[in-house]
Amino acid sequence: MTGKAYVEHVAIWVRDIQWHIRFFKEVLGMDMREVQGSVEQPKQYWTLGGMQFMSSPDFGDNEGRLGHIGIMCEDMEAALAAAQAFGVSAMPQGANWIRLPDGLALELIQAAPGSVAQALAVQPRQ
């Protein structure tokens, strides 16, 4: 085992990014963590709570498209090395991006020391 990890964010392509920003803020209280572009015209928008919206106004379907899953790792380099045995492929975004054989894209992120254990210790249903 290469250490523990947790899902830090889920990135989805959306047609109407402002609608998603409003919904997740007003319904679920997920405030902005960061934005790429301006708040008025974001290209990407991250919420506290793990959502990332990526603007795709020309998307014609009626369901969100998963862009990737961001995973915080205790030891990112060990996880990347171990992943090679599973037939993953590199992605152009960088060395920490891998595509699984079924097409799922993962962004592995090196976590600060102790932060993965701290996040996994949260018991939200108690």
Side-chain angles (χ1 to χ4, degrees):
M1 185 170 82
T2 63
K4 296 193 181 282
Y6 71 93
V7 174
E8 192 272 337
H9 68 272
V10 176
I12 58 171
W13 293 99
V14 297
R15 180 176 32 235
D16 186 344
I17 196 168
Q18 290 293 351
W19 184 94
H20 284 80
I21 291 168
R22 284 190 312 275
F23 176 86
F24 279 81
K25 180 177 176 66
E26 294 175 18
V27 174
L28 300 170
M30 292 182 164
D31 292 324
M32 182 180 81
R33 184 182 82 194
E34 67 183 277
V35 64
Q36 178 189 30
S38 67
V39 173
E40 297 76 26
Q41 292 187 308
K43 293 177 183 168
Q44 297 188 74
Y45 185 98
W46 292 261
T47 71
L48 295 170
M51 296 301 300
Q52 177 184 353
F53 307 121
M54 300 178 298
S55 182
S56 182
D58 58 343
F59 181 49
D61 206 343
N62 64 350
E63 60 184 63
R65 292 180 290 164
L66 180 63
H68 66 273
I69 300 174
I71 301 176
M72 296 299 285
C73 303
E74 285 180 327
D75 187 340
M76 182 188 73
E77 293 300 327
L80 286 167
Q84 297 309 307
F86 288 85
V88 302
S89 56
M91 295 181 67
Q93 290 91 327
N96 62 316
W97 287 77
I98 55 175
R99 186 169 305 281
L100 306 187
D102 67 357
L104 182 62
L106 301 181
E107 175 190 10
L108 302 186
I109 306 162
Q110 179 60 55
S115 64
V116 171
Q118 196 173 19
L120 293 176
V122 173
Q123 299 292 321
R125 294 185 186 226
Q126 288 186 344

